[in-house]
Each structure stands twice: as structure tokens, then as C-alpha cells.
Amino acid sequence: MKQVYLTGITTSGTPHLGNYAGAIRPAIEASTDPETEQFYFLADLHALIKGFSPDDVRRSRIEVAATWMAMGLDTDKAYFYCQSDIPEIPALAWLLSCQASKGLLNRAHAYKACVQENEASGSNDPDKGITMGLFSYPVLMAADILMFKANKVPVGKDQIQHIEMARDMAQRFNHHYGELFVLPEAQVDDSTAVLAGLDGRKMSKSYNNTIALFLPEKQFRKHIMKIKTNSLEPGEPKDPDGNTLFEIYQAFATPEQTDDVRQKYADGIAWGEMKQYLFEHLNELLKEPRDKYAELIARPETIGEILEAGASRARVLSQPYAAELYDAVGIKPMWQ
Ligand code: TRP
């Protein structure tokens, strides 16, 4: 049996260098393995939970899809689709909701963090501002995973609990209705790069310290120049470890190139010079995909066609499987 890898990308915001090094690049590399089956999808229904405007949702769907394509995802091999194009997913989420205990979901980190915030702010309603979408986020995510019988789910550490919840829901369902679900496992790869952002903290849209992947060249350079450094003067030896410029460089360089730059640090390269060096290195790597990205963004209908083709292939699997699951709970055409 082939290993089935599946992961979702929430369409909130514009893909940045950290997204690429941490998630997109490893996924694209893994997708060339003929021994595995890959499902990569835009989690646009999940994006709605975060309260983005319709325009933001629309733009992010296009940007995220174009990024994966420009970076070289083979969309004929991997299943690449929008979650919202697979109506069986929200249908399955309902079946799972009817199995998942509320107590299980009360323990979800994201939900608990919101409750704690409310309590800390002295509100007398611990659920203030919390939608059912946020509360049942892990159920929709379980449906994403179980729908395609994924056994490996590459995610960041913060998502491990969600995969465990998906297992829990699958087990309960299997217990009641027969062994219909494959139990998924989180795959956390400690070797994937976690990049620091402009201010030295983890690059993340929640810290507003990201460098978008496909900025026009001039703006891209400006962002690199903004990366925080310290007050060491040109000529003074500098420590590469823990240095944001170095870490970003390393995430995009060969070991030999990295050793060269280590030497430059020891020799006291000036921060301005190092920034220029990093800019030129990244710019060289991103030039071609940046052009491809621009072409794709200018033709959203092409992106749409590819995603729709991906969804059609995926629905060949999800439609009969959903019918089987409905049948298991007692819902099927009356005359059968
Ligand atoms: N919750 C994930 C995140 O924020 C995105 C996601 C949605 C996902 N559905 C998924 C990841 C299914 C893996 C599998 O990163």
C-alpha cells in the first residue's frame, strides 16, 4: 500500500520566505517520490474562521495557489485542489461532529487560548467572540484528512494535537460503524527550517515580520535591508549562529556556500555587505519563479482550471467514499 501524504495550507495572507522553507519546499520535494501519493490543498474554508474580508480570502487563494505552481509543484502527479471544491469534506465534518465529544474539542489549544484571553481581560463570558467555526476547527481538519485516507500528515508542532483529535474521531466512528477510516499520524520534521523574520522572532504573519516570497525586486531588497542586526562594526568578527541574516542564507544555500559565509562572518563582513550578499543570492533563486508567479497571477482563470482539474480527480475518490460513509450511518437512497 502506498503511503498517503496530505496537508492543508490555510489561505490567509501572502506566502513568505518562512512558508516556503518550512512547508512548500519540503512538500514539493516529497511529491517527486513515486512510492507515495500526495494531497496538497488550499484550506479556504478554514481561512473563513479568521475573519478575513472576502477580498482578502479571494486574493490569498490565488496567491497561495500561484506560489505552489511557480515553485514547481507537479500538479499532474500530486492532488492539488481547494477544500471548498470538495463538498464531501464539510459533509463528512458533520458526520464527525456527531461523534466528537464536546469535551474533546474543549481541550483544543486554539480554543483554550481564546478562552484564557477572555478570562485574562476580565470578561464575564469566557466564550466571548468565539465562533462555532473556531471551536470546531479540528473537526473540519479531521474531515480533510480522513476523506482521503491519509496516513501521514506533515505539519508543524502546533498542529499535532489536531491530528491526534482526528485519530480520536476516526476511532470512535470506526468503533460504531465499522473500520472505515484510516488512522492518520502527524509527521513533524525537525530538520525543516524555521526562519526568523525581520525582527529576529520566528517569521510569521502574526508577528508582522515576514518577507513575502514574490515581492518586486526593489521592494524585496528593501525588506532584506530592514532585517535587524546588532551594532558590531565592519571588520569585527561576527557570530553566524542565531543571526537572522545567516539563518535565512543557510536555509537557501548548499553546505559549501554556507561554509563560505561562515568564513565571511569570522572575517568581519559588514552587515550592509551581508545584506546585499543575501539579497543577491535569494534574488537569483527567486527570479525565475517570480516571473512565473507574475504570469500566473495575471491569469487567475488558469489557476482556477488547474485547481478544478485537481478537485475533479480528488472527487473520484471522495464521492464514492462519502456515499459509503453515509450508508454506514444509515443514510442512503431509500429504494436500495
Ligand atoms: N490547520 C492547518 C494550519 O493552520 C491547515 C490545515 C487545514 C491542515 N486542514 C488540514 C493541515 C489538514 C494538515 C491537514 O496549518
Side-chain angles (χ1 to χ4, degrees), residues 6-8 10 41 43 46 137 141 144-145 153 155 159:
L6 174 143
T7 201
T10 311
F41 66 94
H46 274 112
Y137 186 108
M141 185 159 157
D144 292 329
I145 297 168
V153 186
V155 283
Q159 298 290 318

Side-chain angles (χ1 to χ4, degrees), residues 68-316:
W68 282 69
M69 292 176 197
M71 283 301 185
L73 178 70
D74 182 348
T75 54
D76 290 328
K77 182 176 179 293
Y79 288 86
F80 187 58
Y81 53 92
C82 273
Q83 178 188 37
S84 60
D85 281 334
I86 317 283
E88 293 77 24
I89 291 174
L92 173 54
W94 180 253
L95 297 190
L96 295 173
S97 286
C98 299
Q99 287 301 310
S101 73
K102 178 171 174 290
L104 174 75
L105 293 164
N106 283 341
R107 290 192 286 278
H109 300 315
Y111 169 66
K112 270 171 56 181
C114 292
V115 169
Q116 264 163 16
E117 225 171 89
N118 281 334
E119 281 168 353
S121 73
S123 165
N124 54 9
D125 176 9
D127 282 324
K128 187 170 168 220
I130 300 177
T131 62
M132 281 307 295
L134 175 77
F135 184 69
S136 53
Y137 186 108
V139 181
L140 181 58
M141 185 159 157
D144 292 329
I145 297 168
L146 300 176
M147 182 44 88
F148 294 105
K149 304 182 181 171
N151 39 25
K152 300 273 181 210
V153 186
V155 283
K157 284 198 185 72
D158 60 318
Q159 298 290 318
I160 296 176
Q161 187 195 30
H162 291 153
I163 315 300
E164 280 164 4
M165 290 184 163
R167 274 179 85 86
D168 191 294
M169 290 176 229
Q171 269 164 332
R172 271 174 177 253
F173 193 99
N174 284 354
H175 179 73
H176 278 106
Y177 300 113
E179 294 292 313
L180 286 151
F181 286 130
V182 171
L183 303 185
E185 243 174 65
Q187 184 168 315
V188 180
D189 186 350
D190 288 323
S191 72
T192 50
V194 177
L195 288 197
L198 294 174
D199 58 357
R201 290 186 292 175
K202 179 185 168 194
M203 191 181 290
S204 158
K205 56 195 167 224
S206 25
Y207 295 144
N208 201 14
N209 64 354
T210 63
I211 303 174
L213 258 183
F214 295 128
L215 289 172
E217 195 171 302
K218 255 197 178 155
Q219 249 173 295
F220 186 61
R221 182 169 181 282
K222 247 194 198 155
H223 269 75
I224 303 272
M225 294 294 154
K226 271 197 255 174
I227 296 173
K228 198 171 141 197
T229 54
N230 58 29
S231 58
L232 289 176
E233 299 284 341
E236 285 187 76
K238 299 174 176 66
D239 186 6
D241 297 306
N243 176 260
T244 305
L245 291 171
F246 179 78
E247 284 181 354
I248 296 179
Y249 182 83
Q250 184 173 33
F252 294 94
T254 65
E256 295 74 38
Q257 290 172 325
T258 306
D259 284 344
D260 280 355
V261 167
R262 251 180 210 289
Q263 190 57 48
K264 288 185 196 294
Y265 271 66
D267 295 342
I269 188 171
W271 289 131
E273 201 184 325
M274 182 56 208
K275 287 179 176 177
Q276 179 64 23
Y277 195 78
L278 175 64
F279 160 70
E280 283 169 16
H281 182 76
L282 293 179
N283 195 47
E284 194 53 40
L285 292 176
L286 293 176
K287 235 183 209 156
E288 233 183 80
R290 185 194 288 139
D291 289 346
K292 229 169 154 185
Y293 178 81
E295 260 173 52
L296 284 161
I297 290 280
R299 284 182 291 120
E301 62 288 353
T302 310
I303 302 176
E305 277 164 23
I306 290 173
L307 286 168
E308 276 163 29
S312 300
R313 281 171 60 217
R315 290 196 76 199
V316 170

